[in-house]
Amino acid sequence: MTDSLDALTSLLAGGRVVVLSGAGLSTESGIPDYRGPSGVARRHTPMTFQAFTGDALARRRYWARSHLGWRLIARATPNDGHRAVARLQHAGLVDAVITQNVDGLHGAAGSAPVVELHGRLDEVTCLDCGNLTSREEVDRRLREANPDFVAQVDAVNPDGDVDLPDEQVAGFRPVDCGICQTGMLKPDVVFFGETVPPQRVARCFDLVERARALVVLGSSLTVMSGRRFVIRAAKNGIPVAIVNQGPTRGDGYATVCVDAPLGVVLPVLAERVAAGASV
């Protein structure tokens, strides 16, 4: 790994780097990855946009599960990996972060700018009037509407969803928009079957095309949503580095691959590179 880490250090030292992060970066904050070493197997199919908007029972199940999952996400704090990325940004070596995560931990660690490709769990949108509400406010209203709702959760998925048997969600009452009173509320995240807003995708492509290097952190790149940026970088001759535990679907495009825990590698990397940048 030493040779790969040296190559990654040299790549970052040149600056103008864009980071693409995935769920693997947040595992050390207590949010399991789907596919990495700490991954948890789902017992239910991820909620699709079509099911959420078209089926009241599916919507109730989602809000019951997400109501509990949000409490765990809200307690999560940035780990050493998030802080290392922020340090590299503050040193002027990383121009921007594109994250597939919806937990807000990059911003909490001090990173800016951050493009949250799949949205944020701490905001809720009304699908009718478009109003944005804080998740804290919606959580308060859900607690008031469900004072007797009690369920035990062992683990939360990266999208804030949890696994609950149907009998535990029976009787759960979702709430409508507090502004228009009747609008359907949905966490301001991209569901399966839903597309990322085109302007957001275009901004990410622009960032990648202007970068000198693209560094992927904690993503298996299984879905095209993130992998397309790796493909674009490689097509344009922009070096790609990947730091992840286990193989990824982007390894064939990478010039550097480091298979190691991010919470271990990134602080060392930041110490090497940021210290050199400040000399």
Side-chain angles (χ1 to χ4, degrees):
M1 186 182 76
T2 301
D3 291 344
S4 297
L5 191 57
D6 288 343
L8 183 57
T9 301
S10 298
L11 194 64
L12 275 163
R16 290 178 48 217
V17 171
V18 168
V19 163
L20 171 64
S21 71
L25 186 60
S26 292
T27 57
E28 292 176 41
S29 293
I31 304 174
D33 193 353
Y34 288 133
R35 304 173 183 90
S38 66
V40 290
R42 279 185 177 271
R43 291 192 295 272
H44 64 267
T45 302
M47 178 61 64
T48 66
F49 181 75
Q50 292 75 16
F52 183 87
T53 56
D55 185 340
L57 292 179
R59 195 156 56 249
R60 182 179 69 185
R61 283 195 299 272
Y62 175 82
W63 271 114
R65 298 189 315 227
S66 183
H67 180 52
L68 295 175
W70 161 248
R71 299 177 193 178
L72 298 177
I73 294 285
R75 290 199 298 266
T77 58
N79 60 51
D80 288 343
H82 295 109
R83 287 187 284 271
V85 172
R87 183 179 179 188
L88 290 168
Q89 275 191 284
H90 295 161
L93 299 170
V94 170
D95 289 347
V97 174
I98 301 167
T99 185
Q100 300 171 89
N101 300 337
V102 295
D103 52 37
L105 293 180
H106 274 297
S111 280
V114 178
V115 181
E116 285 154 324
L117 188 64
H118 297 150
R120 297 178 61 104
L121 268 178
D122 63 358
E123 294 181 338
V124 177
T125 185
C126 174
L127 296 180
D128 289 356
C129 73
N131 181 67
L132 274 179
T133 307
S134 75
R135 187 60 179 265
E136 289 183 355
E137 170 63 17
V138 173
D139 181 70
R140 181 190 64 77
R141 294 180 58 212
L142 285 170
R143 287 173 186 262
E144 291 176 353
N146 299 275
D148 299 322
F149 180 64
V150 178
Q152 296 296 319
V153 178
D154 294 325
V156 60
N157 294 311
D159 58 1
D161 204 354
V162 300
D163 294 306
L164 286 179
D166 285 345
E167 59 269 20
Q168 289 194 5
V169 305
F172 186 85
R173 294 177 54 205
V175 296
D176 292 326
C177 177
I179 301 299
C180 70
Q181 304 303 320
T182 58
M184 185 186 300
L185 293 181
K186 168 185 167 293
D188 196 24
V189 299
V190 178
F191 279 17
F192 284 83
E194 192 177 9
T195 58
V196 179
Q199 67 273 20
R200 195 179 298 165
V201 175
R203 183 184 178 196
C204 292
F205 275 130
D206 183 62
L207 288 170
V208 170
E209 289 169 355
R210 292 172 180 268
R212 193 187 57 80
L214 175 65
V215 176
V216 180
L217 303 176
S219 176
S220 63
L221 300 171
T222 299
V223 296
M224 185 57 74
S225 181
R227 193 165 73 251
R228 57 186 157 183
F229 303 118
V230 171
I231 295 172
R232 179 66 62 88
K235 181 179 178 180
N236 289 3
I238 297 167
V240 175
I242 299 176
V243 186
N244 190 64
Q245 285 192 269
T248 81
R249 289 192 66 184
D251 290 352
Y253 300 98
T255 55
V256 180
C257 289
V258 179
D259 188 339
L262 278 78
V264 174
V265 169
L266 293 181
V268 172
L269 190 64
E271 182 64 30
R272 284 184 175 191
V273 183
S278 63
V279 173

